[in-house]
Amino acid sequence: MSLSGVVGASAQQLKVSAASNIASIHNITHRMHLLALNALIEAAHAGDKGAGFSVVAQEVKSVAGEIRSLAEALGVELTGRVDSLRVAVDALAAAARSDRLGDLALNAVEIIDRNLYERTCDVRWWATDSAVVDCALSPTPQAQAFASHRLGVILSSYTVYLDLWLCDLKGRVLANGRPDQFNVVGADAHDERWFKLGRELPSGDEFAVADIDRCARLGNAQVATYVASVREGGLVDGRATGVLAIHFDWEPQARAVVKGVRLDPAEAERSRVMLVDAHDRVIAASDGRGILSERFPVDAKGRDSGFYEDAAGRIVAFHRTPGYETYRGLGWRGVIEQIPE
């Protein structure tokens, strides 16, 4: 049971116990009142000899009245304070749960950013491979075949990529790592956003990445495409001769992240974990709905992280990417939407 539930149950038991005890006090004061009343009647019958007894009876009656008043006040005050305690504990518990959801949202976006940071290193490194550099400079059939072979060797060691493409500066695909699976050599990619970004990179130290999208030439798979410029001699400041694009297999990697958030089974049933891009587009969701088609505007009010209750009474916790190492991130958010218990 949650802390709020424990406190709520204890508070209810306290109220029941207090009500029972106060009822007993009322019963005792009622009996005292009756005794005092009987004593007054007997004192009246005794005349002058019962005068002293009458004073005592009056005092007993007065004390009984005071005890009754105190018991009533205590009941009202105790009930009010117990209810206030329950409200305060419920608020604290809700804030703690929301803070935890915010931490989990941060964890989700951090995991994906750490993963994507490695992609930025991969693409810049592989753009200096001698087979890639030679093919971009002089794309003979032999050079293209060898470049495809080298890209295939790289792919055999990595399970997170769908394919690697080497393009010339006009956007024509010169080589790819999985020619038997994806027949893309000779295809024109000059209109692709990732190619345009890669074509404009100022040096071999830089990289670019396009938004998550579906790639028709890769079986309409969801991809995150990272690019680096291929340069003469493999030098950082060499003349640009081509663009290397690495197509990260986004859907299974992102699904593993959002479904791997550490929520207990009952909580997971009430929750939806998402990654949302800088344009509020859902790019991953634990329930598999709305990916790349749904927009989820986060009411952040200028905050990088936080939580709020939406119009439907659901808790929405969010955290903007802090980036990782030299990877600043793309303005994405980890978001958890949860129906309260």
Side-chain angles (χ1 to χ4, degrees):
M1 184 182 291
S2 66
L3 173 61
S4 179
V6 171
V7 171
S10 298
Q12 184 62 30
Q13 291 174 0
L14 177 59
K15 286 177 68 175
V16 170
S17 177
S20 176
N21 290 332
I22 289 171
S24 296
I25 293 172
H26 278 306
N27 185 48
I28 292 170
T29 57
H30 178 66
R31 289 162 61 192
M32 289 176 66
H33 183 77
L34 289 177
L35 287 172
L37 184 60
N38 288 332
L40 285 173
I41 293 172
E42 292 300 326
H45 289 162
D48 292 341
K49 292 181 180 180
F53 191 60
S54 175
V55 173
V56 174
Q58 286 285 7
E59 188 63 24
V60 170
K61 182 180 179 181
S62 176
V63 169
E66 290 180 16
I67 293 175
R68 183 174 61 247
S69 297
L70 288 172
E72 290 174 351
L74 176 61
V76 171
E77 182 179 2
L78 182 60
T79 299
R81 291 196 176 187
V82 169
D83 288 341
S84 296
L85 175 62
R86 291 180 64 179
V87 170
V89 170
D90 285 346
L92 287 172
R97 286 194 298 269
S98 299
D99 283 339
R100 173 175 168 271
L101 291 180
D103 289 341
L104 291 174
L106 169 61
N107 182 245
V109 77
E110 277 187 325
I111 289 173
I112 204 69
D113 271 355
R114 290 181 184 184
N115 198 319
L116 296 180
Y117 164 71
E118 295 178 9
R119 313 294 64 94
T120 71
C121 299
D122 289 347
V123 70
R124 287 176 287 181
W125 173 30
W126 296 336
T128 65
D129 186 277
S130 60
V132 171
V133 171
D134 291 346
C135 182
L137 184 63
S138 180
T140 64
Q142 294 81 5
Q144 288 178 268
F146 187 55
S148 287
H149 169 73
R150 282 292 301 150
L151 294 177
V153 170
I154 292 171
L155 280 175
S156 68
S157 299
Y158 289 82
T159 61
V160 297
Y161 294 109
L162 284 166
D163 206 1
L164 312 181
W165 295 359
L166 171 62
C167 303
D168 64 19
L169 293 180
K170 293 182 179 180
R172 182 171 65 97
V173 180
L174 301 175
N176 73 309
R178 291 195 171 112
D180 294 339
Q181 186 175 353
F182 304 113
N183 183 23
V184 296
V185 172
D188 185 1
H190 83 278
D191 280 336
E192 300 287 351
R193 176 164 171 75
W194 53 261
F195 175 77
K196 295 175 181 178
L197 293 171
R199 179 72 175 77
E200 300 301 320
L201 289 172
S203 79
D205 272 340
E206 304 297 322
F207 71 91
V209 57
D211 288 333
I212 307 300
D213 206 352
R214 294 187 181 276
C215 181
R217 293 190 176 97
L218 295 175
N220 210 35
Q222 300 171 23
V223 295
T225 301
Y226 284 73
V227 293
S229 58
V230 180
R231 295 184 173 262
E232 191 171 1
L235 301 174
V236 169
D237 57 353
R239 178 173 62 90
T241 56
V243 171
L244 180 66
I246 63 174
H247 300 291
F248 181 67
D249 192 6
W250 171 257
E251 194 274 335
Q253 318 305 325
R255 182 179 66 242
V257 170
V258 293
K259 292 188 76 67
V261 169
R262 299 184 66 178
L263 298 169
D264 64 57
E267 191 178 17
E269 288 183 2
R270 299 184 285 105
S271 305
R272 186 186 188 201
V273 182
M274 293 170 281
L275 294 173
V276 178
D277 71 13
H279 307 293
D280 297 327
R281 190 176 54 144
V282 175
I283 54 177
S286 57
D287 60 359
R289 294 188 295 106
I291 299 174
L292 303 188
S293 62
E294 177 187 351
R295 295 195 177 274
F296 192 96
V298 176
D299 187 16
K301 292 184 170 57
R303 300 172 294 170
D304 286 337
S305 63
F307 59 87
Y308 59 91
E309 184 177 313
D310 69 10
R314 294 168 296 207
I315 299 299
V316 178
F318 61 90
H319 207 299
R320 185 187 296 274
T321 171
Y324 183 74
E325 298 286 348
T326 58
Y327 183 62
R328 295 190 300 274
L330 301 173
W332 295 353
R333 288 189 178 97
V335 179
I336 300 179
E337 179 188 52
Q338 186 176 94
I339 300 170
E341 281 185 291

